Amino acid sequence: WRKGEPAAAAAGGPDGSSNGNNGDDNDDDKGKKAAAALKQPEEIMLVCISTAKMLLTIQANKNNNNVRMVVDASDILEVAESSEYAYFSEATSELAHVDPSSLPQKQRAVFFINLYNLMILHAALEKARWRKKGDSKTRWLPRASPFGWMKFLRSATYNVGGNIYSALDVEHSILRSSRPNNDNVFIGRLLGRLPSNDPRLKCKVNQEIPLLTFALCPGTMCSPPLKCFHEHNFEEELVRSAETFLSKYCHAQVCERSSRSSWSKKSNASSSLSVAEAAAALKAAKSSSAPASSSFVLEVRLPLLLKWYRHDLGGGAAAGGGSGGTGGKNSTKWLLSIASLIKGTKASHCILEAIDAAMPIDLKYDTYKWELGWMLQES
């Protein structure tokens, strides 16, 4: 990002049904509201998302002596039915009168990241608040599947500068508009690009955003933490979000494979063996003329988001690796990026030792959890 750009942001609002803006205001009223909003657009956005985070944090620690950093569907339901929710909805209505197309690229990226996180949370709260009478406390939830969540993200819409954006539009047509052509994200390819004459293209972010995956919180139990992002220390906040997420979900262990079978399950011998000991055993086996009875590999377990959005870490095609190794120099560089972000953890230490010892690395990806939920992080 270019330094020295003026601090600015923009704001968008929910569609007419959720922010009270039905499009019937006269021109004078619209002009006054737009002028008022343009004076402090960044502050308005931060008020909205900070208020949302405050409501979730209060709910997460309600009647609980322990600090809880995760909220689930039952918490969302209670927040939606609380008296404080009206204040949040009123605050978001101020976001409908600002045009973000005039923003410099960095401020635009910060705004749309906050908007994305805000609109998904708001959509979940609205679904909970307006569930049909007689429905159970869980029937309103989005279907816990890829297409169920895609439908939910498409329904999460805000009016920004007179144009309607869904959460999918914001992520794939605004924030990821410069994604590489070989990106294999299924939803991104399915959506395609906005038409060349679409007015929303004026708001797209033309630069790739490093670590973007760790800034976006789509509201699942596998999502990166929800936080407010700020223009003045945006890069540092992205790194902290990546560190928090990867430290929680990245794990590594040494596994043993017999020459007569596939990889064994964790045993007392392999699970307690360090990378250095395994590397030494591999080196000794190579120098021996006798055939090895077994070999060792470092199994690295990663969140599935890293496979879907591998380019956010500069991984290239090799980062999609799976059973059988890391996939070459590009994948080694990709793993070094991960190890750097989780510096000081056991997984980081194992990855660095295995690469240094030229030990085989087997990448595994955890199953994605589509259930509704948010991990909170200090902002």
Side-chain angles (χ1 to χ4, degrees), residues 34-319:
L38 284 168
K39 291 179 182 178
Q40 300 178 357
E42 184 177 38
E43 287 78 2
I44 292 173
M45 169 58 78
L46 293 179
V47 164
C48 292
I49 197 163
S50 297
T51 301
K53 271 206 65 182
M54 178 188 69
L55 292 176
L56 294 186
T57 303
I58 291 173
Q59 176 60 35
N61 298 285
K62 186 178 180 181
N63 301 323
N64 194 330
N65 293 326
N66 299 319
V67 177
R68 189 158 58 97
M69 297 304 293
V70 176
V71 297
D72 56 21
S74 60
D75 295 313
I76 293 297
L77 191 60
E78 289 195 37
V79 171
E81 294 175 343
S82 68
S83 57
E84 293 82 4
Y85 179 67
Y87 173 76
F88 165 69
S89 293
E90 182 179 355
T92 61
S93 68
E94 296 296 324
L95 298 172
H97 312 291
V98 177
D99 177 14
S101 65
S102 61
L103 293 172
Q105 289 292 307
K106 183 177 179 178
Q107 288 88 336
R108 192 182 301 181
V110 172
F111 167 70
F112 275 106
I113 287 171
N114 284 329
L115 179 69
Y116 175 89
N117 294 335
L118 181 69
M119 66 199 303
I120 292 174
L121 175 59
H122 199 170
L125 288 165
E126 285 293 294
K127 282 181 69 69
R129 185 175 179 84
W130 299 107
R131 69 187 191 281
K132 293 180 180 179
K133 186 176 181 181
D135 278 357
S136 69
K137 290 189 175 183
T138 58
R139 189 173 179 181
W140 61 273
L141 291 170
R143 183 173 296 178
S145 68
F147 284 101
W149 215 259
M150 184 175 174
K151 181 179 179 181
F152 171 60
L153 296 182
R154 192 184 292 277
S155 71
T157 58
Y158 264 28
N159 181 338
V160 183
N163 296 308
I164 302 300
Y165 296 80
S166 71
L168 290 178
D169 294 330
V170 170
E171 178 178 0
H172 295 284
S173 296
I174 303 300
L175 293 171
R176 296 191 185 277
S177 62
S178 59
R179 69 180 186 265
N181 291 330
N182 62 337
D183 193 336
N184 71 344
V185 180
F186 173 69
I187 292 180
R189 284 194 168 276
L190 191 64
L191 290 174
R193 311 278 182 171
L194 291 176
S196 59
N197 61 345
D198 194 305
R200 294 173 293 180
L201 286 176
K202 295 179 181 178
C203 297
K204 72 177 183 178
V205 177
N206 295 316
Q207 299 170 258
E208 286 189 54
I209 307 172
L211 306 180
L212 175 61
T213 294
F214 309 106
L216 302 179
C217 181
T220 66
M221 285 297 184
C222 283
S223 298
L226 175 68
K227 67 180 276 83
C228 303
F229 287 89
H230 308 80
E231 183 272 332
H232 61 276
N233 59 346
F234 180 45
E235 292 83 359
E236 292 79 4
E237 290 176 336
L238 279 174
V239 171
R240 286 202 300 270
S241 285
E243 290 172 345
T244 299
F245 182 72
L246 293 174
S247 296
K248 180 177 180 179
Y249 290 109
C250 291
H251 306 282
Q253 67 175 14
V254 176
C255 294
E256 183 178 7
R257 182 175 68 176
S258 169
S259 59
R260 304 173 188 175
S261 62
S262 58
W263 298 116
S264 65
K265 295 181 179 179
K266 282 197 303 181
S267 64
N268 291 334
S270 63
S271 61
S272 61
L273 201 63
S274 71
V275 174
E277 291 170 331
L282 285 172
K283 185 176 180 180
K286 288 180 180 179
S287 63
S288 173
S289 58
S293 59
S294 62
S295 59
F296 297 96
V297 66
L298 180 68
E299 180 181 285
V300 179
R301 299 204 67 87
L302 302 170
L304 193 56
L305 279 175
L306 289 190
K307 186 174 184 180
W308 292 343
Y309 298 107
R310 61 188 184 275
H311 289 286
D312 283 357
L313 282 170

